[in-house]
Every structure is written in structure tokens, then in C-alpha cells.
């Protein structure tokens, strides 16, 4: 052991950008200011690089600008983006990316204790592999969280195919199931334990973690969730994608049951919508939001909120006006119907305990009578999984991932991870509610007819439907927007049907 890591490249942005299309524009031509500026820039490129700007280059500039203008006025295809075929997931290793350091030459053994529910832990595992690469360390298969709210005793190998995980990443990072017994015997002290600050830069791990790791030979990072910045070198971002989208494969028992549920849904209809519905009592209490349940609701959620000592006092009205409150099941149903999904649509709902129970869910069931959950579809096959919340969440993950349309009423970890995965896998339709603007429409719902309400919902949802050029938050998360791993196909291979 003892080989120090190579220098870490400075972070930079890279990735997918907006969608382009060869389709001829049918609207007004680009403004003279835009075209003049583009021509001026291309002229500079020619002057300083010697590259002669061709008609093809200029055509692509105009095409990209025009396609975005056309799309503003296009009707939304609620089932599939017509531009998704222009992009594809790309996370291969570059030729100069350093290979895995053999175990006996590494800087030490890196142990990871993840935190939270299944998808929060998934993010931690993904980042753990990257940190191990940065440190030239041997990664010990991460330890899952057994002590959080969910109290799930599952180990890594109960949820993920551990042998596949180790094998798939063998060119990038050396991973072992445990520290060898003889190494443990030779160690003077137990592994050092520490916690990295949230969203730490690679330099933190080089400067603060590496010296301890090399001195102690083994080190454990605890509560490892979101402990690595989103701003990384492109090669490291692609490593993240290889971990998250390829190496983390569910065990055969979980995968088989998940696919069985998908098959049952497909027998009912060629297409289905999956909704990840977060409306649990603790989640609502944490958000500080109230839903017209009167004093009883305020008292119940207020008591739950006391579990967190550091939460600030919030105004429920202000939070709702800022778009911070999760949509109710009824509001999710209204949004989907307004977007154009009929009442014969097959709806799969992934959720935990719903605050208010069946009374809260009833309006959604009335809007979509073909309403199913894993409990409805799996029957007795679900019994072995019932004591384990993370395994149940993994089954929901599979069914939601395979859906034609994925919808969420929240911006939690499962919503982020699935949104990023669906972008990587071909920009499958993924709907994020514009909660801030939808709240205004829901309040005025009785002041307008259904057709007007529907048109307004469709308008506020543009840019939040899983298109390649979706609106991005000011501080987006790489796990939700894996831009470095999404590539644009060459123009000659683009085919857009009309």
C-alpha cells in the first residue's frame, strides 16, 4: 500500500445541453440580432482556429435555434418526447482515465456507512466509488443504514447484486467484500471514523482524509450521503453514471418480482403511468405544510414536527405559495387529467403510508379507476419482502423505472434518482409538477371551465415534462441531471418523425 492519488482535475461543466433538431422551422425566422451574433462568433472561430465555418455548421446553428422556437407552440405528446432519440446515455471510460489500483498497492481500505432510505443510500454508494478512486483506495462494499427511521436490517447483498457490482467496476476501483482477516490482525488500531462535510470537493478528501487513511490503513466515512460535490471533472461524472446506471443492479429475487408486476400492467394496457406519491405524516410535518384539515391536522402534524429540534418556524401559506408543498393525491390526479391522460389510463402508485388513508386517496381513485399498487398486483409474492422497507422500495423503483410516464409530487431522493436514470436511458417521459404555478390554478379551479383549466395546466408544465431541454433548477443535482453522461447523436443519424 501507499501509492498516492494522481492530481485531481479542477471541476468543470459539461454535458447534454439543449436538444437540437434537423426539422425545418415553420415559424418566423431567427432575429437579425441572434443570427448576426452567431455569425460574428463563428467568424472569430475561423480566425483563431483556422477552422472554416461551413454551410453545415451554420445550418446547425439555425436549426437548433428554430427547433426551440417551434417547440414552444407544439402540442405536448404526453406519452413520449419526439426529440428523445436525438440523445443517448454515454458513460464510457476515456482512454486517459486511470485504471483501478491493485489492492496491495492502494492507499488503504475505505469503509462507507450510508444513511437514509434506499435512494439516499444509492447516492452515497455512487459517490463512495468516486471518492475511492480519488484516494487510490480499496473500497469495502458499503454498509447500509440499519438505524434510521425505516429500521431496515437489509445488507448490501440483500438488495444489490454484490458480485456484479464488484466485477462491473473492477477497471475503475478495486472493491472487496471485507477487509482481509490478516490485514485486520496486523493493524495496531481500529479503523478511524470521520464524517465529511456535505458536498465536499475532491481536494477535501486529498488534504483531510488521505493522510489519515495512509497512516491508519483503514478509515470509515459515516453518514455518507451527499458528501461529494456535484461539480466534478467529466471523467468522474461518467464514473458516477457507470456506478448508478450500470453497476447497481438489484438482486435476482427483487428484479424478478418487479418485472412480474410490470408484465401484469402491460397485459392490461401497452402503456401505463407510475406515480411516486409522498404524502406520509412525517414528510408533511417536516415540510411545514397543511392541507385544510383543520385544527386536528395542525395538532397531529405539529406533534410530529417536534421530533426535529432544528426546524425553523414556517408559514404554511408562504411555503405553498413558494411551491414547497407536495401536491395532494387529488391535485396529482387533476394535473394528469388536465394534461390529457384519460380515466382509462393504467395508474401504478408507489407510496408509503398516506396521511388521511383511503379518504385522502379516494379523489385520485375516482379520477383514475385503474389504480394499482404493488400490494394489489403481487399478492402473496410480496410476503417475504414486507419486513424490509428498502426491498419494497426497490420493487417500486423497478415498476416506476419501466413505466412509460413517471410522475412525482415531490423532489425527494427517489424522484431525483429516477429522473436522472430516465434521462440517461432515453429521456423517457418524466413529469415534475410546477407546484408554485399549479397552486394558483388549483385555488382558482372553480373560477374557470375545465377546458381553460386544462390549457393553463399544460402551459405551466412546459419545460417540466422530461424533454431534453427541460427547465433546470438554479442549483441542480447531478443525480437528477446527469448532463456529462448524455450525448448528442451526430446529425446524419437523427430521425424525427412527423
Amino acid at each position: 500500500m501507499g501509492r498516492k492519488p494522481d492530481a485531481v482535475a479542477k471541476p468543470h461543466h459539461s454535458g447534454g445541453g439543449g436538444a437540437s433538431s434537423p426539422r425545418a422551422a415553420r415559424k418566423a425566422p431567427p432575429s437579425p440580432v441572434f443570427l448576426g451574433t452567431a455569425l460574428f462568433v463563428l467568424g472569430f472561430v475561423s480566425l483563431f482556429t483556422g477552422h472554416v465555418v461551413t454551410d453545415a455548421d451554420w445550418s446547425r446553428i439555425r436549426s437548433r435555434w428554430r427547433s426551440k422556437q417551434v417547440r414552444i407552440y407544439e402540442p405536448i405528446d404526453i406519452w413520449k418526447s419526439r426529440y428523445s432519440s436525438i440523445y443517448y446515455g454515454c458513460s464510457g471510460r476515456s482512454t486517459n482515465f486511470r485504471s483501478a489500483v491493485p489492492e496491495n498497492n492502494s492507499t488503504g481500505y475505505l469503509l462507507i456507512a450510508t444513511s437514509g432510505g434506499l435512494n439516499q443510500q444509492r447516492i452515497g454508494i455512487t459517490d463512495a466509488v468516486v471518492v475511492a478512486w480519488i484516494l487510490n483506495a480499496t473500497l469495502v462494499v458499503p454498509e447500509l443504514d440499519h438505524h434510521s427511521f425505516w429500521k431496515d436490517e437489509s445488507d448490501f447483498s440483500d438488495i444489490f447484486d454484490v458480485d456484479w457490482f464488484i466485477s462491473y467496476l473492477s477497471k475503475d476501483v478495486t472493491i472487496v467484500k471485507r477487509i482481509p482477516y490478516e490485514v485486520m490482525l496486523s493493524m495496531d488500531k481500529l479503523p478511524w471514523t470521520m464524517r465529511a462535510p456535505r458536498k465536499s470537493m475532491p481536494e477535501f478528501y486529498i488534504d483531510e482524509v488521505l493522510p489519515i487513511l495512509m497512516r491508519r490503513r483503514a478509515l470509515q466515512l459515516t453518514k455518507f450521503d451527499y458528501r461529494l460535490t456535484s461539480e466534478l471533472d467529466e471523467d468522474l461524472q461518467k464514473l458516477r453514471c457507470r456506478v448508478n446506471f450500470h453497476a447497481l443492479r438489484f438482486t435476482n429475487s427483487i428484479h424478478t418480482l418487479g418485472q412480474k408486476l410490470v408484465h401484469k400492467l402491460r397485459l392490461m394496457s401497452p402503456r401505463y403511468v407510475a406515480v411516486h406519491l409522498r404524502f406520509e405524516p412525517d414528510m408533511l410535518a417536516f415540510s411545514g405544510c397543511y392541507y385544510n384539515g383543520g385544527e386536528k391536522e395542525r395538532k397531529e402534524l405539529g406533534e410530529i414536527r417536534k421530533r426535529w429540534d432544528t426546524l425553523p418556524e414556517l408559514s404554511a401559506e408562504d411555503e405553498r405559495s413558494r411551491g414547497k408543498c407536495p401536491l395532494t393525491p387529488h391535485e396529482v390526479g387533476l394535473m394528469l387529467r388536465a394534461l390529457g391522460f384519460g380515466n382509462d389510463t393504467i395508474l401504478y402508485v408507489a407510496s408509503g403510508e398516506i396521511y388521511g388513508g383511503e379518504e385522502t386517496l379516494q379523489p385520485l381513485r375516482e379520477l383514475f379507476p385503474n389504480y394499482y399498487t404493488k400490494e394489489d398486483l403481487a399478492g402473496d409474492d410480496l410476503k417475504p419482502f414486507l419486513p424490509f422497507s428498502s426491498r419494497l422500495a426497490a420493487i417500486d423503483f423497478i415498476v416506476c423505472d419501466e413505466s412509460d410516464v413517471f410522475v412525482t409530487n415531490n423532489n425527494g431522493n427517489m424522484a431525483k434518482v429516477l429522473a436522472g436514470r430516465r434521462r440517461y436511458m432515453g429521456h423517457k417521459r418524466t413529469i415534475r409538477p410546477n407546484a408554485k404555478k399549479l397552486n394558483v390554478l388549483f385555488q382558482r379551479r372553480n373560477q374557470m371551465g375545465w377546458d381553460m383549466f386544462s390549457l393553463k395546466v399544460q402551459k405551466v408544465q412546459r419545460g417540466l415534462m422530461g424533454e431534453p431541454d427541460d427547465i433546470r433548477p438554479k442549483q441542480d443535482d447531478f443525480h437528477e441531471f446527469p448532463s456529462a453522461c448524455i450525448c448528442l447523436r451526430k446529425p446524419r443519424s437523427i430521425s424525427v418523425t412527423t
Side-chain angles (χ1 to χ4, degrees):
M1 294 186 182
R3 176 177 169 183
K4 292 185 179 180
D6 301 335
V8 177
K10 292 294 182 183
H12 68 273
H13 294 285
S14 62
S20 66
S21 168
R23 185 175 182 164
R26 292 181 296 233
K27 300 296 175 182
S31 71
V33 173
F34 169 81
L35 297 180
T37 303
L39 186 59
F40 180 75
V41 171
L42 290 175
F44 261 130
V45 171
S46 301
L47 178 64
F48 288 107
T49 68
H51 170 71
V52 178
V53 179
T54 66
D55 288 342
D57 294 326
W58 182 231
S59 177
R60 279 194 291 272
I61 289 287
R62 288 183 296 183
S63 174
R64 292 184 186 188
W65 188 90
R66 284 170 173 167
S67 67
K68 198 156 189 173
Q69 302 310 302
V70 171
R71 212 171 309 166
I72 293 174
Y73 304 99
E74 286 178 346
I76 297 174
D77 181 338
I78 56 176
W79 289 102
K80 183 179 180 180
S81 167
R82 67 172 65 187
Y83 298 97
S84 61
S85 62
I86 297 173
Y87 296 89
Y88 65 99
C90 53
S91 59
R93 293 165 49 87
S94 66
T95 54
N96 60 350
F97 189 67
R98 192 194 69 224
S99 296
V101 177
E103 183 178 352
N104 58 355
N105 290 334
S106 72
T107 55
Y109 292 91
L110 180 65
L111 299 97
I112 296 290
T114 59
S115 177
L118 174 65
N119 292 286
Q120 188 172 332
Q121 294 183 90
R122 188 185 187 107
I123 290 169
I125 294 166
T126 298
D127 289 348
V129 174
V130 178
V131 169
W133 187 94
I134 291 169
L135 296 174
N136 273 356
T138 295
L139 178 66
V140 180
V141 170
E143 174 187 327
L144 300 191
D145 186 353
H146 297 160
H147 308 292
S148 64
F149 172 81
W150 293 270
K151 298 291 188 296
D152 190 324
E153 295 297 319
S154 298
D155 292 322
F156 188 102
S157 59
D158 295 318
I159 297 174
F160 300 108
D161 184 335
V162 66
D163 293 324
W164 171 261
F165 177 74
I166 293 171
S167 173
Y168 189 88
L169 296 169
S170 60
K171 292 183 180 179
D172 298 309
V173 172
T174 298
I175 304 174
V176 297
K177 293 181 181 179
R178 62 189 65 83
I179 299 177
Y181 181 68
E182 59 272 18
V183 174
M184 290 293 291
L185 286 178
S186 67
M187 291 170 56
D188 297 330
K189 300 177 181 179
L190 292 173
W192 185 263
T193 299
M194 64 183 295
R195 186 180 303 175
R198 288 179 68 82
K199 300 184 178 181
S200 294
M201 299 296 289
E203 288 77 12
F204 168 83
Y205 291 98
I206 295 291
D207 298 337
E208 304 296 332
V209 177
L210 179 61
I212 301 173
L213 174 63
M214 296 185 72
R215 186 168 65 249
R216 298 294 289 265
R217 299 186 67 191
L219 178 147
Q220 184 184 53
L221 296 174
T222 62
K223 292 280 185 181
F224 200 78
D225 61 332
Y226 292 100
R227 304 293 165 173
L228 183 63
T229 179
S230 275
E231 309 296 321
L232 291 176
D233 175 86
E234 183 177 286
D235 280 332
L236 294 182
Q237 300 288 44
K238 286 182 180 292
L239 176 56
R240 264 178 165 156
C241 294
R242 291 197 292 279
V243 180
N244 197 3
F245 304 139
H246 298 283
L248 286 174
R249 190 165 73 178
F250 292 121
T251 60
N252 186 59
S253 61
I254 291 173
H255 176 78
T256 300
L257 182 54
Q259 290 297 330
K260 185 176 181 179
L261 303 193
V262 172
H263 181 66
K264 286 187 174 183
L265 291 166
R266 297 283 185 212
L267 288 176
M268 301 178 206
S269 173
R271 304 185 294 196
Y272 71 92
V273 175
V275 178
H276 181 225
L277 198 58
R278 291 294 309 274
F279 212 71
E280 301 94 337
D282 62 299
M283 189 261 196
L284 299 185
F286 188 88
S287 73
C289 300
Y290 295 108
Y291 293 88
N292 301 319
E295 190 58 33
K296 178 176 179 290
E297 178 186 293
R298 288 181 176 272
K299 184 176 180 180
E300 289 175 348
L301 297 183
E303 283 298 313
I304 298 173
R305 192 171 169 80
K306 290 178 182 178
R307 296 177 189 170
W308 298 281
D309 298 330
T310 58
L311 290 183
E313 288 294 324
L314 297 173
S315 163
E317 291 73 21
D318 289 347
E319 291 301 288
R320 180 169 284 274
S321 65
R322 293 170 57 216
K324 299 298 183 181
C325 293
L327 269 60
T328 67
H330 188 200
E331 290 169 343
V332 170
L334 287 173
M335 177 190 71
L336 290 175
R337 291 297 298 275
L339 286 172
F341 294 97
N343 69 348
D344 58 343
T345 301
I346 301 294
L347 201 70
Y348 178 86
V349 177
S351 71
E353 175 192 359
I354 298 295
Y355 181 68
E358 282 302 313
E359 184 179 350
T360 302
L361 287 171
Q362 189 58 33
L364 177 59
R365 288 183 182 273
E366 290 174 356
L367 288 167
F368 292 95
N370 296 314
Y371 174 113
Y372 298 93
T373 65
K374 57 183 173 295
E375 290 80 7
D376 298 326
L377 297 170
D380 290 342
D381 290 343
L382 201 61
K383 285 183 178 178
F385 301 92
L386 291 176
F388 307 101
S389 61
S390 289
R391 300 183 209 184
L392 293 172
I395 294 167
D396 275 335
F397 187 99
I398 291 170
V399 184
C400 289
D401 185 38
E402 292 284 344
S403 67
D404 299 272
V405 178
F406 175 64
V407 188
T408 178
N409 74 327
N410 65 91
N411 198 32
N413 292 303
M414 180 169 169
K416 288 180 180 179
V417 170
L418 267 172
R421 180 179 176 84
R422 290 170 68 86
R423 286 188 174 89
Y424 180 83
M425 296 297 179
H427 285 90
K428 296 161 72 175
R429 180 66 78 208
T430 303
I431 301 175
R432 292 181 293 148
N434 188 338
K436 182 176 181 179
K437 293 184 177 180
L438 286 174
N439 173 56
V440 176
L441 292 179
F442 292 139
Q443 290 180 343
R444 299 175 181 172
R445 167 72 185 90
N446 295 327
Q447 300 173 20
M448 64 185 86
W450 176 256
D451 289 345
M452 179 59 69
F453 175 74
S454 180
L455 285 172
K456 288 182 177 292
V457 169
Q458 292 172 31
K459 182 178 179 181
V460 303
Q461 281 301 126
R462 285 189 179 274
L464 296 165
M465 298 287 289
E467 293 286 350
D469 59 351
D470 258 5
I471 297 169
R472 298 171 64 140
K474 291 180 180 178
Q475 294 183 333
D476 59 38
D477 185 286
F478 181 78
H479 299 285
E480 184 177 5
F481 293 94
S483 303
C485 304
I486 298 175
C487 296
L488 180 67
R489 296 189 188 279
K490 293 181 180 180
R492 64 176 178 273
S493 64
I494 295 174
S495 176
V496 179
T497 57
T498 57

